Amino acid sequence: MPASGPNAMRPARRCQSFPFVSLLAALLAAALLPGAVVADGVTPSEARRLRDEVKDMFYHAFDGYMQHAFPLDELRPLSCQGEDSLGGYALTLIDSMDTLALLGDKERFGAAVEWVGKNVRFDINKTVSVFETNIRILGGLLSAHLIASDYATGMRIQSYDDQLLHLAADLAERLLPAFDTPTGIPFGSVNLLYGVDENESKITSTAGGGTLTLEFGVLSRLTNKSVFERVTKNSVRGIWARRSKLNLVGAHINVFTGEWTQKDAGIGTSIDSFYEYLLKAYLLFGDEEYLYIFQEAYKAVMHYLHHDPWYVEVNMNSGATVWPLFNSLQAFWPGLQVLAGDVDPAIRTHAAFFSVWKKYGFTPEGFNLATSTVQNGQRSYPLRPELIESTYWLFKATRDHRYLDVGRDILASLQYGAKCPCGYCHISDVETHQKDDHMESFFLAETVKYLWLLFDLAVGPDNIVENGPYKYIFSTEGHLFPATPEVALLDEHCLYAGAFCNGSAVHGYGTSDSSSKHQNANSISFDDSQTSSGQYLSNILSTTRGYIKGVCPGLTHAQKLGISYFIEQKPESRENADESQVIESSVHAQSTSVILISNPVTSQTEEPASSSQYNADVVATSDSVGTDAAGASFQGYPEEHSEETEIVSEQTENNCENTTSQDCQLKEDTS
């Protein structure tokens, strides 16, 4: 009997067409066998020794950089020399500052903060990557600022006077010209002194346009300048507006035309952190629009890309497999699934990925699943952290000691295969273990950090992440962003200890409902739409932020997002459509454990006058009607419109003032 319903037109899963399925199953089975990782488990005393060994690893590399490369950007650990790789402003030191704080090294952390504050300047004639400068430099400055300025972290520097914050704001201002595009998606590079060059490429990656929200959002909240958060949110909207009818995004896009120049959809190279920042922006800021997009994108990934336990690349429009490849950057995905509460498939995928590490001693940049060999041209291991990151999150979620065994194996590989006279070297070929004279700054910012956190957690954690005053969200570069009231509660009325909503029928504080619904501090529970992994997406929003907020009932999904979804009556005459030509779709009310009640007079909702600058539109058309995880009717794309811009109804943020608890009215922005 032919299929019916909203999924009837979707291509069937193509597991039968893969000649490598039996091979993959064998690899996974081997990885999951008891004792397959190591014969003996890591004991508590050994975990303490391994933690100390990782600390020594950090200082071997950090001291090598400071002695032989500083103030250049990065260390060449074989020749014990330095090189400028990004902008010539002590990249490795800035990227390492919060790791020093995490290790409790107040003396070196203070010295680093002082030197950076006095000596780093960004008014230089350098063309830099917007993506890399954001995650490494801007993120490093903001994380160190938040630690150095707060007594509660135990790392407060007495003489510190927001120097790093001023540097961060100056840098972000110099990155802003990159966002001046018709789509709102930024150029890939910008000159720090002169802006975007007239010959700059108009092609950028999805990750490049979608991995800016955490850093720019935190900066907006620390400086009260909404432009930073606004442009990055518009960039995410610009990318999502051009998704395919399958809710997949490609790898590269033209920032002027909005056309996809590479239509391969995956979770690895050029796309990976787009998914990561959707979820993490919600966890840190509580903006449910990010959660909504993440839920839709996650369901699409698990349906079209997931061939348990692996992930492949597919054509974003047809869903047809184009590339049966394990890309090393995919290894972040199990960790993201832990944050999303989808742990079972994360366990299986992590085991499969680690089987590749076991085979070679490192993970190559590309592993061909069809031939079970290293992909030509992708033989290197540049000290990437992603597999270690997922190992840490899985151990934190399960406390399964197999992940300590994994960490021990990874540490041994690094010590015996990558250690160099002055630091740790890239591995240019995972089969020969030939070393390359380069050490990326992320080795100290991420790789060592996650490995140390793994063993410290096993010993009994003694660090600001596990025992500090806040819950922390890690950026894609491993930088620490705390969910402080200053960062997480901007312009909101619902108060700390429970459910207080101005005008609510229930006045005062009420915590019984909200506290009973709170989940693990690092996870979201999904239970609404079943994914291919057997997990469920939920319309109950239980998040890291639940511990600071309670219930304020009565807002619909659209009201909480500050937008409405529309069905266009005549898609062919879209250019002439106005508010009188659209019909607002039904949006079901829901009650949640966490909501946003935003200040109606907030600069975060202001939109610039120029449509060519900071485009904030979100898409809606009349075909492929689906249902979002929050119960709202959402309109997908007709096939011919899969790469066009969406239209969003811009409305003011919601508020609960002068309303009942069941009827928080949304006022349309008529400006």
Side-chain angles (χ1 to χ4, degrees):
M1 185 175 181
S4 60
N7 294 326
M9 300 304 294
R10 290 184 173 178
R13 295 289 301 277
R14 293 172 172 77
C15 292
Q16 295 85 351
S17 65
F18 289 108
F20 53 89
V21 168
S22 59
L23 171 63
L24 305 188
L27 277 172
L28 177 62
L32 290 174
L33 282 174
V37 179
V38 287
D40 301 314
V42 173
T43 64
S45 61
E46 186 180 7
R48 184 174 291 102
R49 179 187 65 78
L50 293 171
R51 179 193 63 183
D52 294 341
E53 185 176 346
V54 175
K55 186 175 182 178
D56 292 341
M57 171 188 287
F58 172 83
Y59 282 112
H60 173 66
F62 182 78
D63 291 344
Y65 166 75
M66 294 301 294
Q67 292 170 16
H68 302 287
F70 175 79
L72 301 180
D73 281 339
E74 291 179 322
L75 171 69
R76 301 184 66 180
L78 266 178
S79 61
C80 297
Q81 297 176 342
E83 60 181 339
D84 277 336
S85 54
L86 187 59
Y89 29 60
L91 166 63
T92 297
L93 180 63
I94 294 174
D95 224 3
S96 304
M97 287 193 293
D98 62 0
T99 307
L100 288 167
L102 182 66
L103 295 175
D105 193 339
K106 189 170 184 177
E107 181 180 354
R108 295 200 192 193
F109 174 68
V113 168
E114 182 179 2
W115 187 91
V116 171
K118 288 181 178 179
N119 295 280
V120 172
R121 295 293 178 269
F122 298 114
D123 53 343
I124 53 177
N125 185 13
K126 291 273 189 178
T127 297
V128 299
S129 162
V130 174
F131 170 81
E132 296 291 352
T133 302
N134 172 66
I135 66 172
R136 300 199 197 194
I137 300 297
L138 186 59
L141 291 171
L142 290 171
S143 178
H145 161 73
L146 288 163
I147 295 170
S149 60
D150 191 346
Y151 283 103
T153 64
M155 303 296 290
R156 172 75 166 94
I157 300 173
Q158 295 295 332
S159 61
Y160 180 70
D161 190 26
D162 294 345
Q163 292 92 337
L164 301 187
L165 180 60
H166 298 320
L167 279 174
D170 177 59
L171 176 59
E173 292 277 3
R174 297 175 186 278
L175 299 180
L176 281 180
F179 293 85
D180 189 8
T181 66
T183 63
I185 305 169
F187 286 98
S189 299
V190 65
N191 186 283
L192 295 177
L193 199 57
Y194 300 113
V196 178
D197 186 87
E198 61 180 6
N199 297 317
E200 177 62 35
S201 171
K202 294 180 174 64
I203 308 303
T204 195
S205 69
T206 299
T211 314
L212 305 159
T213 49
L214 293 189
E215 293 82 1
F216 275 63
V218 168
L219 183 61
S220 273
R221 290 152 192 260
L222 296 179
T223 62
N224 294 317
K225 294 182 179 179
S226 65
V227 62
F228 302 121
E229 186 166 6
R230 186 169 69 243
V231 297
T232 55
K233 188 171 188 177
N234 291 345
S235 179
V236 171
R237 286 170 167 170
I239 293 170
W240 187 242
R242 292 161 176 85
R243 70 197 183 280
S244 74
K245 64 181 180 180
L246 306 182
N247 279 344
L248 296 173
V249 294
H252 291 95
I253 192 169
N254 186 305
V255 301
F256 265 61
T257 67
E259 295 179 356
W260 293 100
T261 58
Q262 184 180 349
K263 299 182 181 181
D264 296 348
I267 59 168
T269 304
S270 300
I271 306 178
D272 51 352
S273 47
F274 169 73
Y275 294 110
E276 179 184 2
Y277 270 37
L278 289 176
L279 180 57
K280 289 183 176 180
Y282 170 66
L283 292 175
L284 186 59
F285 304 135
D287 187 332
E288 294 176 25
E289 185 174 353
Y290 289 117
L291 176 63
Y292 175 78
I293 297 173
F294 175 77
Q295 289 177 322
E296 296 299 300
Y298 184 80
K299 286 187 288 184
V301 166
M302 297 304 287
H303 183 80
Y304 294 104
L305 277 60
H306 186 217
H307 294 268
D308 203 352
W310 306 91
Y311 292 81
V312 298
E313 294 183 11
V314 305
N315 180 278
M316 64 179 288
N317 294 316
S318 68
T321 300
V322 296
W323 202 233
L325 186 76
F326 161 56
N327 177 282
S328 64
L329 289 172
Q330 294 178 357
F332 88 100
W333 188 256
L336 188 66
Q337 289 183 304
V338 170
L339 290 177
D342 205 4
V343 177
D344 287 345
I347 291 172
R348 296 192 297 273
T349 294
H350 178 275
F353 291 173
F354 183 61
S355 71
V356 178
W357 182 288
K358 290 287 289 182
K359 182 174 182 177
Y360 298 107
F362 302 100
T363 47
E365 289 291 79
F367 179 76
N368 192 303
L369 299 176
T371 62
S372 189
T373 59
V374 177
Q375 182 69 22
N376 288 333
Q378 301 184 37
R379 309 184 68 83
S380 66
Y381 169 67
L383 304 176
R384 290 204 185 279
E386 285 77 15
L387 184 62
I388 305 168
E389 176 185 0
S390 288
T391 303
Y392 162 69
W393 284 113
L394 278 164
F395 179 68
K396 188 169 185 176
T398 67
R399 293 305 196 270
D400 189 328
H401 278 58
R402 87 171 86 173
Y403 298 111
L404 298 180
D405 298 338
V406 170
R408 179 172 63 180
D409 268 23
I410 291 174
L411 176 58
S413 293
L414 292 170
Q415 291 287 59
Y416 293 109
K419 191 172 184 178
C420 292
C422 299
Y424 289 81
C425 292
H426 283 197
I427 304 300
S428 60
D429 190 319
V430 297
E431 292 188 302
T432 66
H433 286 197
Q434 181 179 350
K435 296 175 181 176
D436 182 42
D437 193 14
H438 191 60
M439 187 182 81
E440 295 264 12
S441 66
F442 60 66
F443 178 70
L444 297 177
E446 297 183 83
T447 307
V448 175
K449 181 181 289 170
Y450 285 118
L451 201 52
W452 187 85
L453 281 168
L454 171 68
F455 294 121
D456 190 58
L457 187 59
V459 171
D462 183 21
N463 62 75
I464 60 174
V465 170
E466 308 295 348
N467 292 345
Y470 314 116
K471 298 298 181 182
Y472 284 86
I473 298 299
F474 290 83
S475 76
T476 196
E477 187 74 4
H479 292 307
L480 308 175
F481 293 138
T484 64
E486 184 179 22
V487 170
L489 296 180
L490 182 69
D491 294 326
E492 294 174 7
H493 296 301
C494 279
L495 302 183
Y496 251 68
F500 183 84
C501 186
N502 289 345
S504 171
V506 181
H507 288 80
Y509 298 99
T511 58
S512 58
D513 279 345
S514 60
S515 61
S516 67
K517 295 179 182 178
H518 294 164
Q519 304 295 319
N520 182 293
N522 290 298
S523 70
I524 295 175
S525 173
F526 292 125
D527 65 12
D528 186 29
S529 303
Q530 187 171 13
T531 69
S532 59
S533 66
Q535 300 296 319
Y536 294 83
L537 300 179
S538 169
N539 59 3
I540 296 177
L541 312 179
S542 302
T543 76
T544 59
R545 307 184 67 246
Y547 69 94
I548 32 181
K549 299 199 313 187
V551 177
C552 182
L555 295 185
T556 67
H557 176 76
Q559 286 172 328
K560 286 184 295 176
L561 295 189
I563 60 177
S564 294
Y565 300 104
F566 291 91
I567 305 174
E568 294 189 11
Q569 292 176 314
K570 298 179 180 180
E572 65 275 5
S573 59
R574 186 172 294 105
E575 303 91 76
N576 299 322
D578 57 28
E579 290 186 2
S580 66
Q581 295 172 302
V582 295
I583 303 174
E584 182 172 352
S585 66
S586 62
V587 184
H588 302 296
Q590 63 173 358
S591 83
T592 76
S593 61
V594 178
I595 68 156
L596 293 183
I597 306 172
S598 302
N599 191 329
V601 188
T602 172
S603 58
Q604 302 272 350
T605 62
E606 295 173 0
E607 297 300 332
S610 171
S611 63
S612 66
Q613 190 176 32
Y614 316 142
N615 181 3
D617 288 345
V618 176
V619 185
T621 61
S622 58
D623 265 356
S624 304
V625 177
T627 303
D628 72 36
S633 175
F634 179 76
Q635 318 310 322
Y637 288 108
E639 184 170 354
E640 67 273 14
H641 188 59
S642 62
E643 295 178 1
E644 293 183 12
T645 308
E646 287 186 304
I647 302 173
V648 171
S649 170
E650 285 297 334
Q651 298 178 344
T652 58
E653 300 282 343
N654 328 301
N655 72 85
C656 289
E657 295 181 358
N658 305 315
T659 64
T660 68
S661 64
Q662 298 299 318
D663 189 27
C664 293
Q665 298 296 323
L666 179 67
K667 296 181 180 179
E668 239 181 71
D669 183 2
T670 57
S671 60

